[in-house]
Amino acid sequence: MGNVSDFRSDTVTRPTEAMRKAMAEGAVGDDVLGDDPTVQKLESMAAQIMDKEGALFVPSGTMGNSIATKVWTSELEEVILEERSHIFNMESTHMTFISRVTPRPLPSNRGAMEPQLIQKHIRQPSDHIPKTSLICIENTHNNWSGAVVPLDNIQSLRKIADEHNLKLHFDGARVFNASQASGVPVKEYARLADSLMFCLSKGLSAPVGSLLTGPRSFIQMARRVRKALGGGMRQVGVLAASGIVALQEMVERLEEDHARAQRLAQAIADLPGIILAPQNIQTNIIIFGFDHPQLNIPQFLEQLKNRGILALPTTGGIRFVLHKDIDDQDVNRTISAFKEILSG
Ligand SMILES: *Cc1c(COP(=O)(O)O)cnc(C)c1O
């Protein structure tokens, strides 16, 4: 992609030609009044893909997760979620800000929370303590380097949720990456969750938008909450049109990103300063530790930037994210730059 290889996130992708064309030509209406045909088409596609009764187009994944939390919980309640999860760390505390519930973050094995540990943290009913009402899971897990949460772990969590009458929300910002890597159909993931959110604007390369899917009554309430949060949008078929292209044309190619991530991880893992186990790279996100005799993280990132390679620091390390606008040539020049900077 020209002179810059931008690994900062899979959100930096530009819309494809087909998306631009669909956006220009798509029919629109006023979606707040319920008559935008392109939004309706996207929402019914999403519901069908996830085999849920309904879907709601929302401006961001964060809004999708915050609406789900709001609909599934009430005040005086508590939500169990993973300690490195996006919802807990990266969504500006909407749990307390919007839903007025407390988060209960738990440790995990690369995103998979131990069923026994969850059992132990489900509160017994009492006037003095919050009531546990929701479990959130994230798959793939962003801050665990795009790890795929194993299906049997999610099955165990579903069982616990049923036993204790809890809801299970699936942050599937990258659920299509998870499905490509594991071979588990997205429908199977969605079946185990009460609600599932996925992003069109990550690996699928659409400019804006996420979908929240779930049962009909949940989506009805979600629509009201979206409006209250200021997320009702008018001729938003313009955006939905690109989302339809994303679902039709951009899912299959995610495996290219995974293959390139694996190739990049293997090529850099043994270089001086890099702390990385390539077998942990399952999808499109590479997070590695960095401990070099001459360079610290900002210095290394600066040197990469001077060579047209962009990446972001993360807690204790560096993150590289693969996406459609990174090709084999970008990966090759990045490998060369790593070798030059770190071994030189
Ligand atoms: C990006 C992301 C979100 C939120 O999406 P935005 O559209 O950026 O608000 C939620 N969960 C995960 C795991 C993400 O990576």
Side-chain angles (χ1 to χ4, degrees):
M1 59 170 282
N3 282 335
V4 175
S5 305
D6 192 346
F7 291 91
R8 289 173 303 163
S9 173
D10 47 9
T11 56
V12 302
T13 48
R14 305 296 197 276
T16 62
E17 281 305 308
M19 287 176 186
R20 296 272 195 190
K21 187 161 181 290
M23 292 169 82
E25 293 172 1
V28 293
D30 187 329
D31 186 53
V32 174
L33 302 181
D35 59 18
D36 187 304
T38 306
V39 173
Q40 284 166 8
K41 183 173 170 196
L42 174 63
E43 289 178 345
S44 58
M45 269 177 83
Q48 196 182 14
I49 287 169
M50 295 301 165
D51 199 15
K52 291 289 191 196
E53 286 174 0
L56 183 71
F57 187 45
V58 289
S60 68
T62 300
M63 191 185 282
N65 285 334
S66 44
I67 291 172
T69 307
K70 183 69 189 162
V71 176
W72 290 136
T73 64
S74 306
E75 289 176 24
L76 309 178
E77 294 181 351
E78 188 168 77
V79 178
I80 290 177
L81 75 183
E82 200 273 336
E83 64 185 1
R84 290 198 194 180
S85 65
H86 196 276
I87 296 181
F88 184 55
N89 295 286
M90 310 284 284
E91 300 188 1
S92 299
T93 70
H94 65 68
M95 280 204 173
T96 46
F97 180 58
I98 296 170
S99 298
R100 297 164 41 116
V101 292
T102 43
R104 181 82 176 197
L106 299 183
S108 74
N109 176 18
R110 302 188 60 76
M113 293 179 282
E114 277 281 342
Q116 291 91 328
L117 191 68
I118 292 185
Q119 290 271 20
K120 221 174 80 184
H121 284 88
I122 294 172
R123 309 270 201 175
Q124 298 305 313
S126 157
D127 287 348
H128 309 286
I129 56 177
K131 176 173 175 258
T132 309
S133 56
L134 176 67
I135 303 172
C136 295
I137 57 170
E138 180 175 321
N139 192 18
T140 65
H141 199 297
N142 188 338
N143 280 327
W144 279 107
S145 204
V148 178
V149 177
L151 185 65
D152 62 348
N153 177 260
I154 305 173
Q155 286 164 338
S156 308
L157 270 48
R158 175 74 262 169
K159 230 173 117 213
I160 293 174
D162 288 341
E163 281 163 20
H164 296 269
N165 206 17
L166 313 178
K167 298 297 183 193
L168 186 65
H169 174 66
F170 193 124
D171 177 351
R174 295 185 183 79
V175 70
F176 291 101
N177 294 84
S179 173
Q180 284 279 323
S182 64
V184 175
V186 289
K187 271 191 181 114
E188 182 58 20
Y189 287 132
R191 187 180 69 76
L192 294 168
D194 294 287
S195 55
L196 182 147
M197 183 285 291
F198 68 89
C199 292
L200 299 166
S201 56
K202 298 270 165 87
L204 301 187
S205 313
V208 177
S210 295
L211 284 135
L212 183 58
T213 66
R216 191 166 292 113
S217 57
F218 167 84
I219 294 297
Q220 268 167 9
M221 191 58 190
R223 199 176 291 280
R224 294 186 60 191
V225 175
R226 183 186 68 176
K227 177 70 187 188
L229 295 176
M233 301 177 286
R234 301 293 177 175
Q235 281 71 41
V236 70
V238 169
L239 295 178
S242 68
I244 291 170
V245 176
L247 289 174
Q248 286 170 339
E249 299 181 4
M250 305 307 286
V251 174
E252 291 296 315
R253 63 154 303 289
L254 290 174
E255 64 191 355
E256 287 178 38
D257 299 339
H258 300 177
R260 289 194 182 101
Q262 189 52 230
R263 184 161 76 83
L264 177 56
Q266 286 185 17
I268 63 172
D270 294 329
L271 293 174
I274 305 287
I275 304 159
L276 172 62
Q279 68 272 20
N280 282 341
I281 307 307
Q282 296 177 280
T283 59
N284 68 324
I285 301 177
I286 305 171
I287 296 178
F288 55 88
F290 190 75
D291 183 17
H292 192 270
Q294 275 100 41
L295 294 168
N296 62 26
I297 289 176
Q299 288 166 336
F300 179 48
L301 290 176
E302 185 63 28
Q303 294 222 27
L304 286 170
K305 195 175 172 185
N306 294 339
R307 289 167 170 80
I309 296 161
L310 304 182
L312 289 175
T314 179
T315 335
I318 298 175
R319 161 206 298 282
F320 274 70
V321 186
L322 285 284
H323 52 75
K324 95 161 159 59
D325 293 339
I326 293 286
D327 61 18
D328 285 327
Q329 226 178 316
D330 292 296
V331 172
N332 292 341
R333 72 195 279 247
T334 302
I335 294 170
S336 304
F338 267 65
K339 288 183 175 161
E340 216 176 280
I341 300 168
L342 297 173
S343 315

